[in-house]
Amino acid sequence: MIDLKTFEIWFITGSQDLYGEETLKLVAEHAQQISAGLNSAKQIPVRVVYKPVVKSTDEIYTTLQQANTAPNCIGIVTWMHTFSPAKMWIRGLSILKKPMLHLHTQFNRDIPWSSIDMDFMNLNQSAHGDREFGFMVSRMRINRKVVVGHWQDPEVLEQIDSWTRAAAGWFDWQGAKFARFGDNMRFVAVTDGDKVEAELKFGFSVNTYGIGDLVAVINAVSDEAVKALTDEYEATYTMDGSLKKGGAKYASVYEAAKIEIGLRKFLVDGGFKGFSDTFEDLHGMIQLPGIAAQRLMADGYGFAGEGDWKTAALVRAFKVMGAGLPGGNAFMEDYTYHFDPNNALVLGSHMLEVDASLANGKASLEVHPLGIGGKADPARLVFNVGSGPALNAALIDMGNRFRLLINEVEAVEPQNDLPNLPVARVLWKPYPDMKTGCAAWIYGGGAHHTAYSQNLTSEHIQDFAAMAGIEFLRIGKDTNISQFRNEILWNETAYR
Ligand code: MN
């Protein structure tokens, strides 16, 4: 569903006419080599497209205008091999709508000590050319990422990758549609927010659909299609005999499969990238969608429960940003704590809908009663989630601004069997420690719902927040609660 190779970033090199044809020919050759090098780097998941060197106000304006409207261009990378007087950039930068990365690099890694002359100096002057350009971007208060180092340096490539993935997630949000079945869970605050402001700020729209519209699609699903899907379930998951065809509880699995097919058809037909539902509003549905939501998430759809459209959209963006990387991105909820002073842990889960892309090994398909919602026993996948570095992110509406808050965590393998817990689960330790991590999260107004990522880092998320132009708060190994509280206080002024 998500193929980052359909996206491109444009490599744009700035210069000026006064160097003469010979030098400008070399500038173009070098820029082509760097562009080709980035394009073939295994770290960079999109295509890198070389653009002819820009040498005047008009060339800059035209190239950036084309970048704005090119359908697959998700951002631009700029580099000043030579000097490119920055007043030439004002007109172009003032209309730029795509994210920008300023690559402060040099064609030659090393100074050729024995042969260096003024011709070399004349050609290789990004050390000051990029400063001139950087001034103008800062002067115009334009968000961009600055990456410094030789273009073949693996660290440089990884930083470009981080920005590129953020740009892909950002691009995916522009014009994206999210469906909301039912409204917010009654009286819940943090999952709500300003959908008009979100569309202005983030580019995606959220609209509601009566549950009856979905039920009509589910009811029209054919018997053969449902049986084919329950066959797929039997081939894919561990299942008790009673849940298989002919078993006493097969009807529950049949109903769950029917919901999955109907929900998927609704999303595909409507061109949606994600959805939310509400257990308080399921009129005409026999079960709450459990396995359906789990499998749709694993296929790349954003989802969050209880009408939480912000988290659904964030999960989708993370899935695009992490596409092709090992590990998953998922809807998560901080559920319950283990306050053992020597081994403090958070148990993350949800009523049913833990993303199947997190499953460590073969998942078990089970049917159990659900205490809330008043519907028939729903089918869900039960599994453990693996260990390793991860993070939780929440997008919250602070009234005058959106805030993207993250907590870096370390997931751990479950040390105990949980025979009576009929949902998938994750265990993690928040950084810098349980008490500081949880306190900072609560000071930051962080939600109980998050997007949980196994393959994105705070750098990806910070780049993403910068593209959106919203507040970013990070809780990690170096977080100090006193400084963190001050950061929140100072941000109130910054965003006033
Ligand atoms: Mn919830």
Side-chain angles (χ1 to χ4, degrees):
M1 183 176 177
I2 300 165
D3 178 12
L4 298 183
K5 280 288 172 207
T6 61
F7 296 141
E8 52 192 46
I9 54 178
W10 286 12
F11 189 81
I12 300 171
T13 307
S15 190
Q16 61 182 333
D17 279 319
L18 68 77
Y19 294 109
E21 216 171 292
E22 221 28 48
T23 302
L24 286 172
K25 215 176 119 209
L26 282 173
V27 169
E29 277 173 19
H30 292 170
Q32 275 166 357
Q33 279 187 51
I34 295 179
S35 179
L38 298 180
N39 187 48
S40 61
K42 65 180 190 308
Q43 290 94 335
I44 297 176
V46 303
R47 286 176 290 131
V48 180
V49 176
Y50 167 80
K51 288 287 150 186
V53 176
V54 290
K55 307 174 294 298
S56 66
T57 306
D58 287 346
E59 287 176 7
I60 291 165
Y61 181 83
T62 304
T63 304
L64 298 193
Q65 190 183 39
Q66 287 167 351
N68 280 343
T69 54
N72 296 322
C73 173
I74 62 168
I76 63 165
V77 175
T78 52
W79 172 55
M80 310 300 124
H81 190 357
T82 52
F83 202 72
S84 182
K87 286 204 274 185
M88 295 192 320
W89 284 84
I90 293 174
R91 192 158 166 254
L93 287 175
S94 67
I95 57 149
L96 180 66
K97 293 282 185 197
K98 298 267 167 95
M100 174 166 57
L101 181 144
H102 180 191
L103 180 58
H104 184 42
T105 192
Q106 185 168 278
F107 181 67
N108 280 62
R109 195 193 70 173
D110 299 337
I111 293 176
W113 302 110
S114 59
S115 64
I116 187 168
D117 56 12
M118 278 318 289
D119 282 347
F120 182 91
M121 299 269 275
N122 207 28
L123 179 63
N124 296 279
Q125 50 176 289
S126 55
H128 66 278
D130 273 331
R131 282 177 162 76
E132 165 75 359
F133 176 76
F135 160 73
M136 185 51 71
V137 183
S138 291
R139 173 71 177 75
M140 293 176 73
R141 273 77 171 170
I142 294 172
N143 261 323
R144 85 292 209 186
K145 179 167 185 154
V146 179
V147 175
V148 179
H150 190 251
W151 53 280
Q152 289 169 317
D153 174 353
E155 265 178 33
V156 165
L157 293 169
E158 276 158 28
Q159 282 187 282
I160 298 173
D161 166 65
S162 161
W163 172 86
T164 301
R165 288 179 175 280
W170 179 247
F171 184 82
D172 182 74
W173 262 9
Q174 307 314 305
K177 297 196 288 178
F178 293 91
R180 201 156 174 258
F181 301 112
D183 204 304
N184 222 45
M185 180 179 166
R186 285 188 278 273
F187 305 109
V188 176
V190 75
T191 51
D192 224 328
D194 185 338
K195 297 195 286 293
V196 174
E197 187 61 21
E199 187 162 348
L200 285 167
K201 202 83 196 161
F202 302 131
F204 64 72
S205 63
V206 181
N207 285 292
T208 194
Y209 293 84
I211 199 72
D213 296 346
L214 173 60
V215 167
V217 179
I218 292 170
N219 287 344
V221 173
S222 76
D223 181 57
E224 303 97 74
V226 179
K227 283 179 175 152
L229 186 56
T230 61
D231 285 346
E232 187 185 327
Y233 290 173
E234 286 185 29
T236 312
Y237 308 114
T238 303
M239 284 169 70
D240 186 80
S242 67
L243 300 177
K244 295 183 179 173
K245 250 180 214 139
K249 289 186 180 171
Y250 175 68
S252 296
V253 177
Y254 183 95
E255 192 54 39
K258 194 170 166 182
I259 291 172
E260 178 183 333
I261 296 167
L263 197 43
R264 191 181 293 272
K265 179 169 168 45
F266 192 98
L267 296 173
V268 170
D269 289 353
F272 297 105
K273 290 178 173 173
F275 68 106
S276 67
D277 61 16
T278 303
F279 63 86
E280 287 169 332
D281 184 359
L282 294 169
H283 303 288
M285 289 187 81
I286 294 169
Q287 300 174 12
L288 184 65
I291 188 173
Q294 292 179 290
R295 284 168 49 92
L296 285 162
M297 282 188 276
D299 289 341
Y301 287 98
F303 170 81
E306 293 102 47
D308 186 352
W309 52 272
K310 295 196 300 297
T311 305
L314 193 61
V315 167
R316 165 64 189 191
F318 280 17
K319 283 180 178 293
V320 173
M321 288 159 70
L325 296 174
N329 287 281
F331 168 50
M332 190 57 63
E333 178 163 322
D334 295 73
Y335 229 101
T336 203
Y337 288 146
H338 186 58
F339 268 140
D340 176 352
N342 299 315
N343 185 32
L345 294 165
V346 180
L347 188 154
S349 190
H350 205 254
M351 289 191 308
L352 300 170
E353 312 94 334
V354 183
D355 194 320
S357 67
L358 296 180
N360 197 12
K362 196 171 180 177
S364 164
L365 196 164
E366 301 179 17
V367 173
H368 301 279
L370 185 67
I372 51 177
K375 293 285 167 182
D377 300 353
R380 82 290 305 269
L381 298 171
V382 181
F383 51 85
N384 286 327
V385 176
S387 58
L391 60 81
N392 275 303
L395 181 61
I396 48 191
D397 185 341
M398 295 299 292
N400 64 341
R401 65 186 187 273
F402 288 101
R403 168 180 288 167
L404 190 48
L405 173 67
I406 68 161
N407 187 187
E408 297 166 354
V409 305
E410 188 70 30
V412 297
E413 292 284 344
Q415 294 124 341
N416 306 83
D417 285 335
L418 309 167
N420 294 314
L421 187 69
V423 287
R425 72 294 289 222
V426 197
L427 290 166
W428 67 75
K429 293 174 180 292
Y431 282 117
D433 57 76
M434 182 82 168
K435 287 177 180 169
T436 311
C438 294
W441 188 267
I442 288 170
Y443 279 122
H448 53 281
H449 283 172
T450 60
Y452 177 84
S453 180
Q454 295 175 317
N455 54 26
L456 300 175
T457 65
S458 55
E459 188 176 353
H460 292 102
I461 318 296
Q462 185 161 23
D463 288 348
F464 184 74
M467 287 168 196
I470 62 167
E471 182 185 10
F472 172 76
L473 288 175
R474 173 186 148 273
I475 307 162
K477 284 178 187 168
D478 52 354
T479 294
N480 166 294
I481 203 72
S482 167
Q483 283 171 5
F484 190 77
R485 290 173 72 177
N486 276 332
E487 189 179 342
I488 291 171
L489 194 63
W490 295 329
N491 282 2
E492 288 302 330
T493 305
Y495 288 92
R496 182 167 291 160

